[in-house]
Amino acid sequence: PARTSPPPPKTMACQASLSPLDQGLESWASSSGYGRIEKSIPAGSSGWASFRKVTVAIPPSDDDGKPVSFFVKSSSRSCDEMFKGEALGLQAMYACSRYMPDDQTEKGNSLRIPKVFHYGDYSSGSNGSFLIMEYLNLAGRSDDYALGQAMARMHLAPPSDKAGNPNSSFGFNVDNTIGGTPQPNPWTKPNSGTKEWVEFFKTHRIGHQLNLAGDSYCSKLWDRDIAPRLELLFEDLMGEGKEIQPSLLHGDLWSGNIGSADGMPSVFD
């Protein structure tokens, strides 16, 4: 009888039929030691991304020993455009939210921040990118007092490698936006204090916004009367033991990205 070529392996046939996102998820799960994707359930979308809940065959465990599910955001745009800033921000908040001051002996209130597991572009040659983070069981607003305490605790966390600020500087690893407006975040010099913060705020926050506005009257008022005197407002915060220190800020905290998860206040975006 005539010989026929054997059918392609099932795994190859399945891989070829997967979307670029599904291929990326399968590859990530396998290389991370999580086995295969078991479920991938659509979970809504926005004007710029689609969301889904994903479970794997061999899930990692959270701090309480419970198996982790994943929340995946995907977009047709590149990771640098869409997810890199968000991923780095969540990683920094995750690190700082776990900080415990020296004078605090009990765990107290801390923020529940989703852990980032992966972010990047599709590797299949298709346009698009995705972000994989811990899936949180959100349940509406948390107690505002607990949220305030948890935010204060995050702000007290000292700069660190894990928080993306190894040199105790003002700025961030990537530029971002405030609404739809570009916002530059260049690093100041290592071990920065009040003087560097005033210069950063003057140049890269207010000065930058005025340049974008293109209002000559406001720009002249700022350059002539306000910016040269800005340091005078912070004279009491200069000198040993009084300097303004770098502190991680969210930058866009509002009711749409706060809630509660497992009984703890949460910031998830």
Side-chain angles (χ1 to χ4, degrees), residues 33-91:
Y34 301 149
R36 293 187 58 81
I37 302 295
E38 287 198 333
K39 292 182 181 180
S40 183
I41 304 171
S45 63
S46 68
W48 53 271
S50 296
F51 316 128
R52 63 175 69 189
K53 180 181 180 181
V54 170
T55 56
V56 295
I58 311 172
S61 299
D62 63 15
D63 292 341
D64 297 322
K66 299 177 181 177
V68 172
S69 297
F70 303 97
F71 185 69
V72 178
K73 294 185 176 183
S74 61
S75 170
S76 59
R77 296 164 64 182
S78 73
C79 184
D80 282 350
E81 290 181 279
M82 296 303 302
F83 298 128
K84 183 178 180 180
E86 180 178 359
L88 293 176
L90 286 171
Q91 288 176 330

Side-chain angles (χ1 to χ4, degrees), residues 32-232:
S32 300
Y34 301 149
R36 293 187 58 81
I37 302 295
E38 287 198 333
K39 292 182 181 180
S40 183
I41 304 171
S45 63
S46 68
W48 53 271
S50 296
F51 316 128
R52 63 175 69 189
K53 180 181 180 181
V54 170
T55 56
V56 295
I58 311 172
S61 299
D62 63 15
D63 292 341
D64 297 322
K66 299 177 181 177
V68 172
S69 297
F70 303 97
F71 185 69
V72 178
K73 294 185 176 183
S74 61
S75 170
S76 59
R77 296 164 64 182
S78 73
C79 184
D80 282 350
E81 290 181 279
M82 296 303 302
F83 298 128
K84 183 178 180 180
E86 180 178 359
L88 293 176
L90 286 171
Q91 288 176 330
M93 288 194 296
Y94 183 85
C96 290
S97 68
R98 303 166 81 82
Y99 169 70
M100 181 177 291
D102 293 336
D103 59 353
Q104 187 170 319
T105 57
E106 297 182 4
K107 183 177 180 181
N109 289 316
S110 60
L111 285 174
R112 187 78 162 83
I113 307 292
K115 182 178 180 179
V116 173
F117 284 85
H118 178 81
Y119 60 96
D121 294 313
Y122 297 152
S123 58
S124 59
S126 301
N127 294 329
S129 58
F130 61 118
L131 165 64
I132 305 173
M133 67 182 81
E134 179 184 7
Y135 183 91
L136 299 182
N137 294 306
L138 297 171
R141 285 288 295 271
S142 66
D143 175 76
D144 287 343
Y145 180 78
L147 174 64
Q149 281 194 320
M151 291 297 298
R153 179 175 171 178
M154 185 183 79
H155 292 160
L156 288 171
S160 66
D161 283 316
K162 288 185 177 180
N165 189 359
N167 297 317
S168 190
S169 304
F170 297 102
F172 200 59
N173 281 312
V174 293
D175 293 339
N176 58 8
T177 61
I178 177 167
T181 305
Q183 183 168 257
N185 297 311
W187 289 114
T188 58
K189 71 176 187 178
N191 301 310
S192 290
T194 302
K195 183 177 180 180
E196 290 75 27
W197 182 84
V198 171
E199 185 61 32
F200 181 91
F201 181 75
K202 180 167 58 178
T203 303
H204 302 298
R205 291 298 180 261
I206 303 302
H208 171 69
Q209 292 290 333
L210 286 170
N211 287 336
L212 293 177
D215 188 308
S216 60
Y217 173 78
C218 289
S219 293
K220 288 179 181 178
L221 184 65
W222 170 257
D223 292 336
R224 183 189 63 213
D225 298 328
I226 302 175
R229 297 179 173 85
L230 201 58
E231 284 191 11
L232 299 177

Side-chain angles (χ1 to χ4, degrees), residues 228-243:
R229 297 179 173 85
L230 201 58
E231 284 191 11
L232 299 177
L233 299 175
F234 301 93
E235 285 184 319
D236 293 339
L237 294 173
M238 294 184 180
E240 188 173 351
K242 299 185 294 183
E243 294 283 321

